[in-house]
Amino acid sequence: MVVWHVIGKSEPLAFYKATVDLVKSTQMALFMSAFFFLAGVAVPSNIHGYLMTLGLLSFYHAVMYVQLPGFINAMPHRAATWGLSTSFIVGAVGFFAVGYAAFLPYAVLHAFIYYRGLRGAPTYYPNWVTVTGLLLLPLSANHLEAIFSFPLASVYSLLYRIDSSRARRKFTARNAAVLTALYATAFIGVKLGYLWAMLAPSLFLTLAAPPKVNDKYGAGSFFFRWAVALAPFGHHFAYMAFAVIMSVLCVPYFIGAILFRQIPTYGIELIATAALAYVSRILGALPVSALAVVALVIYTAVRTFREKYYPPTPPS
């Protein structure tokens, strides 16, 4: 069975069809994410936490899977892509029966798709963190552990990639291995009740890939590393930190690509609204925080769909 179409070594039409399906699947995940976030701020507290966590899981599936060909130098086969999407939906529904263990098929298949990008080129090293987070997802016993699995691992791997490049540092197997080990150990620490444990991987990440705090992305990257370790003061200290990093990284740089649109040019409005959502939630001003989340979702959608559409072009 063909699992991947290797870049530069595959039949053009098959590669094109696999690419279109990959992007369509990430569009579906992105729309699901928007729905879960909007529903999450409007429903009672007994399901609010799961919907918001599901929004994060859907979002990071979209932004990581759309980049996966670059991460593994291959395009997943169409069957692998739709099998993964199906297993995600099954996991989302199955949660109500067996908890996050329902995501086991999704996590295993997703990790297997990463398999060819786990050794060889240095650019594969950050994948170790992502795959570890995927495999920890079905082991999550609550919503906090779930956001500390695949979503946090995705952010750590992206920050390691981006901030290493901005600092002109090479990816090394040693740094990737230490970051992965510290992250996995910290996850275990969180399961044991040491909610501050994410300080360890965040500290090492900052030493290995120091952020340049001279722009919106750099400030958001620096803030996020430490905010995720503030969970002992309340889970929302960590959860809402994702709004900040999403506003300076994933939303401005990846959403347009997923939707085949030109990338919008943003000012400070995204990070300012995300900061408002964070601070107001921490202070207990729930209506303000909810409105800020809704505003982020709607504003991003409007700005993105106003941009020029670039449809995929089949090979000649």
Side-chain angles (χ1 to χ4, degrees):
M1 175 183 175
V2 177
V3 179
W4 310 277
H5 299 285
V6 179
I7 294 175
K9 298 180 181 179
S10 302
E11 196 275 320
L13 184 58
F15 188 92
Y16 166 78
K17 290 180 178 179
T19 301
V20 172
D21 279 19
L22 178 142
V23 178
K24 285 183 177 179
S25 75
T26 59
Q27 290 174 350
M28 182 177 73
L30 190 63
F31 295 147
M32 288 168 54
S33 175
F35 170 78
F36 291 138
F37 283 139
L38 293 176
V41 300
V43 299
S45 58
N46 61 333
I47 196 174
H48 161 80
Y50 179 55
L51 288 176
M52 298 303 282
T53 303
L54 200 53
L56 269 186
L57 289 169
S58 302
F59 183 85
Y60 280 101
H61 170 82
V63 299
M64 295 300 284
Y65 200 62
V66 80
Q67 298 177 86
L68 188 135
F71 294 160
I72 67 173
N73 196 40
M75 183 66 60
H77 190 276
R78 301 169 75 186
T81 288
W82 292 117
L84 189 64
S85 296
T86 301
S87 65
F88 184 91
I89 294 172
V90 169
V93 175
F95 168 85
F96 294 101
V98 296
Y100 287 103
F103 284 93
L104 179 61
Y106 167 80
V108 171
L109 177 56
H110 204 163
F112 179 73
I113 294 173
Y114 266 96
Y115 175 74
R116 78 174 314 277
L118 294 180
R119 58 181 180 177
T123 52
Y124 293 164
Y125 298 155
N127 294 338
W128 300 351
V129 185
T130 308
V131 169
T132 301
L134 280 167
L135 297 178
L136 291 175
L137 172 58
L139 301 179
S140 301
N142 53 55
H143 303 321
L144 181 65
E145 290 177 18
I147 70 168
F148 280 167
S149 65
F150 177 52
L152 180 56
S154 298
V155 178
Y156 273 157
S157 66
L158 289 174
L159 298 189
Y160 179 48
R161 288 180 185 278
I162 295 169
D163 289 321
S164 292
S165 298
R166 281 163 58 104
R168 300 182 181 278
R169 295 190 179 185
K170 296 180 179 180
F171 302 134
T172 67
R174 173 190 171 276
N175 283 348
V178 172
L179 177 60
T180 302
L182 287 174
Y183 161 67
T185 303
F187 185 88
I188 295 172
V190 170
K191 288 188 76 67
L192 295 176
Y194 301 103
L195 304 187
W196 48 264
M198 287 302 167
L199 272 174
S202 288
L203 175 59
F204 181 79
L205 176 64
T206 302
L207 296 175
K212 293 186 176 181
V213 192
N214 56 1
D215 56 15
K216 296 188 295 292
Y217 164 76
S221 172
F222 181 80
F223 169 81
F224 178 84
R225 298 160 191 246
W226 310 113
V228 293
L230 297 178
F233 300 102
H235 292 185
H236 282 90
F237 278 84
Y239 186 92
M240 293 304 294
F242 282 90
V244 176
I245 195 64
M246 289 160 66
S247 73
V248 297
L249 175 56
C250 301
V251 170
Y253 295 111
F254 301 136
I255 302 303
I258 292 173
L259 298 174
F260 292 125
R261 301 281 173 166
Q262 182 171 310
I263 304 297
T265 300
Y266 294 103
I268 66 168
E269 64 271 27
L270 290 180
I271 191 172
T273 307
L276 174 63
Y278 184 92
V279 173
S280 57
R281 183 61 185 84
I282 298 308
L283 295 178
L286 303 188
V288 176
S289 182
L291 287 174
V293 171
V294 172
L296 276 173
V297 173
I298 295 177
Y299 179 74
T300 300
V302 171
R303 283 295 311 273
T304 302
F305 282 109
R306 283 175 53 189
E307 298 295 330
K308 185 176 180 180
Y309 175 62
Y310 291 94
T313 304
S316 55

